[in-house]
């Protein structure tokens, strides 16, 4: 097993070393949420507010029995009974909701595993063999005895949220080679019904994270990326709701996300019996993974959960799970520092003196992290050259980076750099020395995008080089942060150094090595934090999030567009990782002008950053920025780690948007309200807060905006949730932000309509 493959199995997938004592005695772990009823041959998992159960049916198949709200401990869920054959066209194998199905026998549904042997056999029938419960995980072995193929299924569950993680390990124990044509991590089976709706996220560069909803009907829906990375055309998240009454706070919702940063597929199928099956894993397009005798392939993890409290609660459960179980600094996450990035101010024209001036201004505003973007290395004066040559440009920084880094640290800020280590410009020393290091087919064209090609990280020598240059960069410079970019899709995904039948392993090996590089850098440099960026949000998933501290949702920093982008992002991913910048006006994307107030409040809903040319700001703008940054530091724990409630949706270009974040202990809530476009002198809707302590009293204070005359300064949580608050938002691109602090049992009823307007 290679170092990268071992890492994927042991860390990204959450696999732990199994104890030999536990293996010898496969009983329930003490206090485990996982139980096996030997009489009924039923496995049951209870955690959070859910129960998940499956059993071994009379044919030996592993069959889903129940997934939903938590049941009583003595409720019977088995045994699993083999469905009756509906007709000769609808055989039992296709109607059985299997946990993990091989393509073999009488099956017509999308299988989890499809393969072929060297002798031409393509039939694979997986049947239950054994189980063990170790270290809080359930391990089940399926096998086709005749074919001598085993599949090890692993189930883990988060006790607090009830979110399950499932993965598979495929092993070839035959005497001949086999080739995997399709491999899923898991399938999730939902009850038979005709009233399901699917939600998913789609988009493109500068227009990511659009929430889409469609009814599920008989047939298939495919969410996927064929791009070599996660992609933003679809994100690897889904939610399925039952019935017509669901909303943010009501309705049954099954949801999930795939932890994989390469090409992926989530296949949603409703069969002739109206059963819904969600199968996710490696994208089978152009996929082929040979296994010699004794070799194996580990899939990613497919995470999923359930709630009967609406899509809003589904998001909050995912956010909690990501903070506690996915992010590398878990469970004690650091608050994201206020960041300044120099790109908009200088683009490629970076130099020591100019960056020092920006650093001085940023520090004076209260910024905590200073990041030099593209242009600091090699012959990098445009995007045409220099990628791959990760050495400091001595014309721009004659004494290296140390004087600038020392300056930044002396100003009380941490220091960061932009890198794009997976790419290379043809006009670079690296490419001239190693033209064979990129993805390519021999004798065919090499298609550049953004004047760059993709290094083949699947190669051991290439991945070793990338690690070494980054390790050297971090070892020689006192750097605390890397903005890790990735600015194009794959093309010509050849690996000519391997035999033709082995080359399509590139889709798996590349991601394994990417994860390994990130892991090793974090081990060697534990103080360095990393942001995942891919031309915006094209590589955001639970796999890359397990190795990075924050993500960049979109290159689009227009504050109005960002309301929709950030809203869509929040369905799947936590505000704790979402970076959002205040940039210049008019914005470069739409040439839309907006006030500094609107730009700051839009960005304060996640990790706050500034990307504007702050040297051009007026003294009044400087004062406003300092006030907003100071205010943000007082609320960022609530914004980044609180429970998020979406009060008004900005989707489909809706004119209004409102979010509320509530501290886990209910001590503080932060309300953001936005009016993109005023219409016909209509009043802004009354906002009803959620998640407060009804009996406690909360004092409201305005960061910006105006509350209606008569609004109490202090009232009960019940008042703010049921009476609500009215804000005076008018015209176009207006905004307000209100903080609610719990103050105990005081009964003060003084009123306020104070405006804290800045930079109007």
């Amino acid at each position: 097993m290679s170092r990268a493959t071992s890492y994927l199995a042991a860390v990204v997938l959450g696999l732990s070393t199994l104890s030999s004592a536990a293996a010898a005695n496969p009983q329930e772990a003490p206090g485990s949420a996982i139980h096996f009823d030997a009489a009924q041959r039923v496995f049951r998992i209870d955690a959070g507010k859910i129960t998940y159960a499956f059993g071994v049916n009379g044919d030996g198949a592993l069959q889903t029995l129940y997934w939903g709200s938590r049941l009583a401990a003595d409720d019977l869920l088995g045994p699993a009974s083999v469905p009756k054959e509906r007709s000769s066209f609808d055989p039992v194998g296709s109607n059985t909701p299997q946990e993990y199905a091989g393509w073999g026998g009488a099956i017509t549904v999308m299988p989890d595993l499809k393969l072929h042997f060297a002798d031409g056999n393509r039939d694979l029938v997986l049947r239950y063999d054994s189980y063990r419960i170790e270290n809080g995980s359930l391990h089940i072995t399926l096998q086709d005895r005749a074919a001598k193929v085993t599949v090890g299924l692993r189930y883990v569950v988060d006790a607090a949220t009830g979110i399950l993680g499932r993965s598979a390990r495929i092993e070839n124990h035959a005497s001949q080679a086999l080739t995997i044509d399709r491999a899923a991590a898991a399938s999730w089976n939902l009850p038979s019904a005709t009233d399901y709706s699917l939600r998913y996220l789609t988009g493109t560069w500068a227009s990511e994270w659009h929430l889409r909803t469609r009814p599920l009907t008989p047939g298939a829906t495919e969410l996927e990326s064929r791009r070599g990375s996660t992609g933003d055309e679809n994100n690897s998240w889904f939610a399925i709701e039952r019935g017509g009454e669901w909303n943010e706070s009501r309705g049954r919702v099954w949801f999930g996300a795939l932890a994989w940063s390469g090409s992926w597929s989530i296949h949603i199928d409703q069969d002739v019996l109206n059963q819904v099956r969600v199968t996710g894993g490696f994208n089978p397009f152009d996929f082929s993974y040979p296994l010699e005798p004794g070799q194996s392939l580990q899939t990613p993890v497919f995470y999923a959960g359930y709630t009967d409290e609406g899509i809003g609660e589904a998001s909050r459960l995912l956010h909690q799970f990501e903070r506690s179980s996915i992010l590398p600094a878990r469970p004690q996450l650091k608050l994201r520092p206020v960041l300044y990035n120099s790109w908009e101010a200088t683009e490629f024209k970076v130099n020591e003196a100019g960056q020092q001036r920006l650093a001085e201004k940023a520090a004076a505003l209260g910024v905590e992290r200073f990041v030099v973007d593209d242009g600091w290395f090699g012959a990098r004066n445009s995007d045409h050259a220099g990628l791959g040559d990760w050495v400091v440009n001595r014309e721009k920084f004659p004494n290296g980076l140390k004087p600038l880094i020392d300056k930044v640290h002396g100003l009380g800020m941490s220091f960061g750099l932009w890198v794009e280590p997976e790419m290379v410009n043809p006009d670079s020393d690296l490419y001239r020395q190693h033209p064979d290091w990129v993805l390519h087919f021999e004798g065919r064209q090499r298609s550049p995008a953004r004047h760059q090609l993709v290094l083949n990280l699947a190669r051991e020598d290439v991945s070793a080089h990338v690690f070494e240059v980054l390790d050297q960069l971090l070892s020689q410079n006192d750097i605390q942060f890397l903005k890790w970019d990735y600015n194009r899709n794959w093309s010509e995904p050849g690996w000519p150094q391997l035999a033709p039948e082995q080359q399509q392993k590139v889709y798996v090996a590349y991601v394994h090595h990417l994860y390994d590089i990130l892991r090793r850098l974090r081990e060697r440099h534990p103080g360095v934090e990393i942001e995942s960026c891919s031309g915006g949000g094209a590589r955001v998933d639970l796999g890359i999030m397990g190795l990075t501290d924050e993500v960049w949702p979109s290159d689009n920093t227009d504050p109005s567009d960002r309301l929709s982008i950030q809203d869509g992002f929040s369905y799947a991913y936590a505000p704790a990782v979402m970076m959002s910048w205040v940039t210049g006006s008019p914005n470069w994307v739409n040439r839309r002008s907006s006030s500094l107030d609107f730009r700051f409040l839009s960005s304060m809903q996640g990790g706050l950053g500034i990307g504007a040319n702050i040297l051009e700001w007026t003294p009044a703008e400087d004062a406003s920025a300092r006030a907003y940054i100071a205010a943000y530091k007082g609320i960022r724990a609530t914004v980044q780690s609180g429970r998020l409630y979406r009060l008004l949706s900005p989707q489909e270009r809706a004119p209004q948007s409102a979010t509320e974040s509530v501290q886990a202990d209910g001590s503080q809530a932060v309300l953001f309200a936005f009016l993109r476009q005023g219409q016909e002198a209509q009043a802004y809707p009354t906002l009803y807060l959620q998640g407060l302590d009804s009996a406690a009293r909360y004092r409201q204070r305005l960061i910006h905006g105006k509350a209606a005359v008569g609004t109490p300064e202090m009232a009960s949580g019940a008042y703010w949730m049921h009476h609500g608050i009215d804000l005076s938002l008018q015209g176009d691109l207006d905004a307000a932000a209100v903080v609610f602090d719990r103050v105990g049992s005081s009964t003060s009823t003084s009123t306020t309509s104070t405006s804290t307007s800045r930079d109007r």
Side-chain angles (χ1 to χ4, degrees):
M1 181 182 291
S2 72
R3 178 175 57 208
T5 304
S6 175
Y7 165 67
L8 183 72
V11 181
V12 173
L13 300 180
L15 296 178
S16 55
T17 303
L18 303 178
S19 71
S20 57
N25 184 24
Q27 302 300 315
E28 297 171 9
S32 172
I34 303 170
H35 307 274
F36 178 60
D37 183 336
Q40 301 290 323
R41 294 214 297 176
V42 169
F43 296 92
R44 173 168 169 163
I45 302 173
D46 294 291
K49 296 181 179 181
I50 71 101
T51 294
Y52 187 89
F54 55 95
V56 183
N57 69 22
D59 284 344
L62 212 57
Q63 180 176 326
T64 306
L65 295 173
Y66 177 81
W67 182 24
S69 297
R70 193 156 183 170
L71 303 179
D74 58 356
D75 285 334
L76 293 178
L77 290 167
S81 58
V82 180
K84 293 181 180 180
E85 182 174 274
R86 185 174 181 274
S87 74
S88 61
F89 296 98
D90 307 306
V92 169
S94 292
N95 298 337
T96 302
Q98 293 189 58
E99 288 283 289
Y100 200 90
W103 189 71
I107 185 170
T108 58
V109 299
M110 183 62 69
D112 295 271
L113 179 60
K114 183 181 182 299
L115 53 79
H116 66 272
F117 288 90
D119 64 5
N121 174 45
R122 303 194 306 280
D123 187 64
L124 183 73
V125 180
L126 296 172
R127 292 293 181 254
Y128 172 78
D129 178 73
S130 61
Y131 87 97
R132 62 185 186 275
I133 299 172
E134 298 170 340
N135 300 328
S137 301
L138 171 62
H139 300 257
I140 292 178
T141 299
L142 305 178
Q143 67 173 319
D144 184 319
R145 292 182 183 275
K148 296 184 179 179
V149 172
T150 66
V151 177
L153 305 182
R154 183 172 186 267
Y155 296 73
V156 294
V157 64
D158 179 56
T161 63
I163 290 177
L164 291 149
R166 293 177 53 193
S167 57
R169 186 176 188 84
I170 303 141
E171 300 179 357
N172 180 13
H173 296 285
S175 59
Q176 61 174 315
L178 64 81
T179 299
I180 298 172
D181 305 306
R182 180 186 187 97
S187 283
W188 304 97
N189 295 293
L190 278 61
S192 176
T194 59
D195 57 353
Y196 285 116
S197 296
L198 169 68
R199 288 196 180 192
Y200 59 103
L201 294 163
T202 186
T204 185
W205 176 80
S207 183
E208 301 93 336
W209 308 105
H210 289 277
L211 183 68
R212 306 298 186 194
T213 305
R214 66 168 65 171
L216 279 181
T217 57
T221 299
E222 192 86 20
L223 307 177
E224 66 172 352
S225 171
R226 302 180 180 182
R227 299 166 181 264
S229 65
T230 317
D232 47 30
E233 184 176 19
N234 293 143
N235 187 261
S236 49
W237 166 89
F238 76 92
I240 297 175
E241 292 108 344
R242 174 80 186 276
E245 297 298 323
W246 53 264
N247 55 30
E248 281 287 318
S249 58
R250 183 172 58 184
R252 303 179 197 175
V253 184
W254 294 262
F255 57 93
L258 188 65
W260 184 243
S261 307
S263 294
W264 59 272
S265 170
I266 296 177
H267 181 95
I268 303 106
D269 203 343
Q270 187 167 41
D271 66 17
V272 294
L273 301 180
N274 296 313
Q275 298 174 130
V276 170
R277 180 175 174 85
V278 183
T279 304
F282 301 121
N283 194 320
F285 177 81
D286 197 41
F287 184 86
S288 176
Y289 202 96
L291 292 181
E292 295 296 325
Q295 291 184 336
S296 63
L297 173 64
Q298 176 71 58
T299 74
V301 175
F302 198 1
Y303 293 101
Y306 170 83
T307 179
D308 58 9
E309 300 178 58
I311 190 69
E313 182 64 11
S315 296
R316 289 185 287 275
L317 289 170
L318 261 177
H319 298 169
Q320 180 181 346
F321 175 70
E322 289 158 2
R323 295 193 303 265
S324 66
S325 302
I326 296 294
L327 290 169
R330 63 188 184 273
Q332 301 299 322
L333 301 183
K334 297 178 182 178
L335 295 177
R336 307 314 307 146
V338 179
L339 174 150
Y340 180 77
N341 182 286
S342 67
W343 172 254
E344 194 166 291
T346 61
E347 296 189 352
F348 293 105
K349 299 176 182 178
V350 298
N351 58 57
E352 183 178 310
Q355 296 297 300
Q356 289 194 359
R357 286 194 298 272
L358 286 166
E360 290 170 352
K361 182 67 175 288
L365 297 175
V367 167
E368 298 160 309
R369 171 166 289 164
F370 184 85
V371 181
V372 179
D373 209 278
D374 201 351
W376 59 269
F377 57 92
R380 190 68 168 172
N381 297 310
S382 72
D383 60 8
H384 289 67
L387 271 184
D389 301 337
W390 299 106
V391 293
V392 178
N393 184 311
R394 291 289 176 158
E395 292 183 4
K396 300 178 180 182
F397 298 92
N399 301 302
L401 293 173
K402 189 176 188 306
L404 175 60
I405 293 174
D406 289 347
K407 175 75 171 182
V408 168
H409 289 164
L411 292 167
M413 299 182 292
S414 60
F415 181 81
L417 276 182
W418 178 95
V419 293
E420 193 175 3
E422 298 163 73
M423 303 290 168
V424 64
N425 287 127
D427 185 3
S428 67
D429 292 339
L430 181 65
Y431 186 78
R432 283 184 282 271
Q433 294 167 8
H434 299 286
D436 59 321
W437 276 13
V438 300
L439 294 172
H440 70 285
F441 295 115
E442 289 290 3
R444 302 294 296 173
Q445 76 284 345
R446 302 183 183 191
S447 302
R450 200 174 179 259
H451 315 291
Q452 61 196 56
L453 299 169
V454 183
L455 289 171
N456 184 3
L457 239 59
R459 290 178 51 149
E460 294 280 354
D461 52 355
V462 176
S463 63
H465 170 80
V466 171
F467 171 78
E468 288 165 6
V469 295
L470 292 175
D471 179 51
Q472 185 176 40
L473 178 68
L474 295 174
S475 298
Q476 294 178 352
N477 298 280
D478 192 2
I479 295 169
Q480 289 73 52
F481 176 79
L482 292 178
K483 183 178 176 69
W484 186 302
D485 216 338
Y486 177 94
N487 275 313
R488 61 157 294 177
N489 298 314
W490 286 17
S491 61
E492 297 92 34
W495 189 355
Q497 293 74 30
L498 296 189
E501 67 274 11
Q502 298 284 331
Q503 289 192 26
Q504 285 156 291
K505 284 186 173 182
V506 67
Y507 290 102
V508 176
Y510 184 106
V511 181
H512 284 187
H513 280 136
L514 169 64
Y515 289 166
D516 184 62
I517 291 167
L518 288 166
R519 176 193 61 84
R520 293 171 64 203
L521 287 174
R522 299 190 72 95
E523 288 178 350
R524 289 287 299 273
H525 308 279
V528 175
E529 296 179 333
I530 302 173
E531 176 182 286
S532 174
C533 174
S534 179
R539 190 160 69 187
V540 178
D541 59 78
L542 295 186
I544 204 73
M545 280 176 57
L547 291 157
T548 57
D549 303 274
E550 63 190 47
V551 299
W552 181 235
S554 179
D555 283 348
N556 185 344
T557 57
D558 179 285
S560 178
D561 286 355
R562 266 298 183 118
L563 296 178
S564 297
I565 289 167
Q566 294 172 176
D567 178 82
F569 179 95
S570 74
Y571 280 85
Y573 304 109
V577 301
M578 181 183 72
M579 291 304 297
S580 186
W581 293 358
V582 177
T583 56
S585 179
N587 189 272
W588 65 273
V589 176
N590 300 314
R591 305 307 300 167
R592 180 187 288 126
S593 296
S594 57
S595 70
L596 194 59
D597 300 310
F598 193 90
R599 282 177 274 155
F600 259 100
L601 294 180
S602 176
S603 296
M604 287 166 66
Q605 295 175 96
L608 177 62
I610 300 174
N613 186 353
I614 53 179
L615 298 178
E616 296 178 347
W617 280 0
T618 66
E621 289 173 319
D622 291 346
S624 290
R626 282 194 294 271
Y628 277 118
I629 290 171
Y632 178 75
K633 291 175 181 178
I635 63 171
R636 65 176 155 189
T638 301
V639 170
Q640 294 179 21
S641 299
R643 291 170 58 81
L644 176 68
Y645 296 87
R646 295 179 289 261
L647 305 184
L648 294 175
S649 172
Q651 294 293 323
E652 305 299 333
R653 301 303 306 165
Q656 298 134 354
S657 176
T659 66
E660 177 202 3
S661 298
V662 184
Q663 268 285 17
D665 63 1
S667 61
Q668 185 181 78
V670 183
L671 173 67
F672 292 98
F674 301 89
L675 180 62
R676 283 168 160 165
Q677 184 178 32
Q679 298 177 4
E680 300 174 341
Q682 294 179 3
Y684 196 80
T686 300
L687 296 175
Y688 301 95
L689 274 66
Q690 298 183 40
L692 301 183
D693 180 346
S694 295
R697 302 193 68 78
Y698 290 84
R699 175 178 285 114
Q700 60 93 356
R701 54 186 171 90
L702 287 152
I703 294 176
H704 173 74
K706 183 183 293 185
V709 174
T711 299
E713 179 183 351
M714 189 186 309
S716 68
Y719 177 93
W720 299 119
M721 290 191 290
H722 303 303
H723 178 279
I725 185 171
D726 290 303
L727 299 172
S728 298
L729 274 67
Q730 295 179 314
D732 295 342
L733 301 182
D734 198 4
V738 191
V739 182
F740 298 82
D741 292 306
R742 188 173 60 198
V743 294
S745 58
S746 172
T747 57
S748 170
T749 56
S750 61
T751 62
T752 179
S753 59
T754 304
S755 171
T756 58
S757 177
R758 303 182 181 90
D759 186 45
R760 301 298 293 168

